[in-house]
Amino acid sequence: CCFEIFAYAMVRSQASEFLLAGASACGAITLTNPVDVVKTRLQLQGELRASGAAYTGISQALLRILRQEGLRGLQRGLFATYLLQFSNVGCRFGTYGSLKQFFGMKQGGHSTSQWLSSVLLGAVSGSIAAVVSNPFFLLKSRFQAVGSEDVLHQHLHPSLRTAFLDIGRKQGVSGYYHGLSAFIPRVSAATAMQLSTYDMSKDIFLQSTQMKEGIPIHLAASLLSGIAVTIAMQPFDIVAVRLMNQPQNESGAALYTGPVDCCKKMVQHEGVSGLFKGITANYARFGPYCTFTFIFLEQLRLAWDRNFGV
């Protein structure tokens, strides 16, 4: 999603941009989903408890899940994740490119105003993508939590289709949008940082070094982008996961009434560090995911242009 990528996107159809971005994200998440499963379980374990941890780190968690649940456990929620990636990434990349085209943003600048404009457009496109993809993030989080002995509540569904239909039948349309109040800032922050920092990092590398366009440049810019994204979205990410996976108590009321209440209870019962549960796994997931997504996207665009033109 660098300036050059979207300069090409301005003459490539938005439909193809949506397809290529979604396919790139699905390819990337296939490789990184096991770490995403670990991230989700680390964020949910010890919920509103001062102690108790089945997972102590990324490697230990991966091995524990593999031993107890097999390869299937490491890829829990994969099909829900595909739907999430295709809808979320395809929407925000496509919307970001359309907005840059609409406002006439050009390639080749890395001024403060250019960067701030990229941040703003990224936040807007992220907000739109969050509304579109919230149901799939909810399903992904719930499926990934199943099987952990240290998650307070687990939603047991035999299939993705059954889960989707059950939510609609029991809770209506609103059931698909639990946690939206935290998911919108989560995706907005992630998109704003991801797209703007990748834009600027790649452009600076190209202008200040002798490096040429290629995978090394894409890798370096993506790794920097991953750091920025992880820091920006971590508090919103854990709150969104907990709001979406939360159980119902005996009176039928939700465990958390909203993002603020969730943060307050987390700090009260788990300490401030509770807000940062899974942050290492978050980067271990998002860093490679971000890298693979951009690399796959660049390569797919080149292949598309060679075969179909722009």
Side-chain angles (χ1 to χ4, degrees), residues 262-289:
C262 182
C263 288
K264 179 180 177 180
K265 288 180 177 177
M266 286 174 62
V267 172
Q268 180 180 359
H269 293 279
E270 304 168 53
V272 176
S273 62
L275 295 172
F276 298 94
K277 282 185 174 180
I279 189 171
T280 303
N282 214 351
Y283 181 73
R285 171 197 69 91
F286 197 85
Y289 163 79

Side-chain angles (χ1 to χ4, degrees), residues 198-265:
Y198 184 85
D199 273 356
M200 181 165 287
S201 297
K202 182 181 173 183
D203 198 51
I204 290 175
F205 282 139
L206 288 172
Q207 293 189 18
S208 61
T209 69
Q210 299 301 314
M211 298 176 70
K212 296 182 179 180
E213 178 78 21
I215 290 180
I217 282 282
H218 305 159
L219 177 62
S222 296
L223 289 175
L224 289 177
S225 177
I227 295 173
V229 168
T230 302
I231 295 173
M233 76 174 181
Q234 169 65 23
F236 305 115
D237 188 55
I238 188 171
V239 169
V241 168
R242 292 202 173 185
L243 288 175
M244 292 180 183
N245 192 68
Q246 67 176 330
Q248 301 290 316
N249 64 26
E250 295 179 355
S251 66
L255 185 62
Y256 310 109
T257 59
V260 174
D261 183 57
C262 182
C263 288
K264 179 180 177 180
K265 288 180 177 177

Side-chain angles (χ1 to χ4, degrees), residues 3 105-106 108-118 196 200 203-204 207:
F3 289 123
M105 292 181 63
K106 304 297 182 181
H110 51 265
S111 63
T112 300
S113 61
Q114 184 89 355
W115 182 79
L116 289 174
S117 296
S118 293
S196 61
M200 181 165 287
D203 198 51
I204 290 175
Q207 293 189 18

Side-chain angles (χ1 to χ4, degrees), residues 43-159:
Q43 290 179 331
L44 289 171
Q45 74 172 357
E47 188 169 10
L48 301 188
R49 301 196 304 273
S51 61
Y55 308 112
T56 58
I58 300 172
S59 298
Q60 181 266 353
L62 287 170
L63 290 173
R64 186 184 184 105
I65 294 171
L66 181 62
R67 285 197 307 268
Q68 296 183 349
E69 304 170 47
L71 292 175
R72 182 180 180 182
L74 291 175
Q75 290 289 11
R76 285 193 186 277
L78 184 60
F79 291 109
T81 302
Y82 283 156
L83 294 174
L84 168 67
Q85 294 302 314
F86 213 93
S87 60
N88 186 287
V89 177
C91 182
R92 59 194 174 97
F93 277 39
T95 303
Y96 183 69
S98 297
L99 289 173
K100 289 183 72 173
Q101 180 179 4
F102 179 80
F103 288 105
M105 292 181 63
K106 304 297 182 181
Q107 176 193 354
H110 51 265
S111 63
T112 300
S113 61
Q114 184 89 355
W115 182 79
L116 289 174
S117 296
S118 293
V119 170
L120 179 60
L121 296 187
V124 172
S125 61
S127 298
I128 295 172
V131 175
V132 173
S133 62
N134 194 86
F136 307 123
F137 187 85
L138 181 147
L139 290 168
K140 175 203 77 99
S141 299
R142 292 183 177 183
F143 272 95
Q144 289 180 338
V146 172
S148 173
E149 64 268 47
D150 195 34
V151 170
L152 181 63
H153 185 74
Q154 299 182 23
H155 300 264
L156 302 176
H157 299 285
S159 68

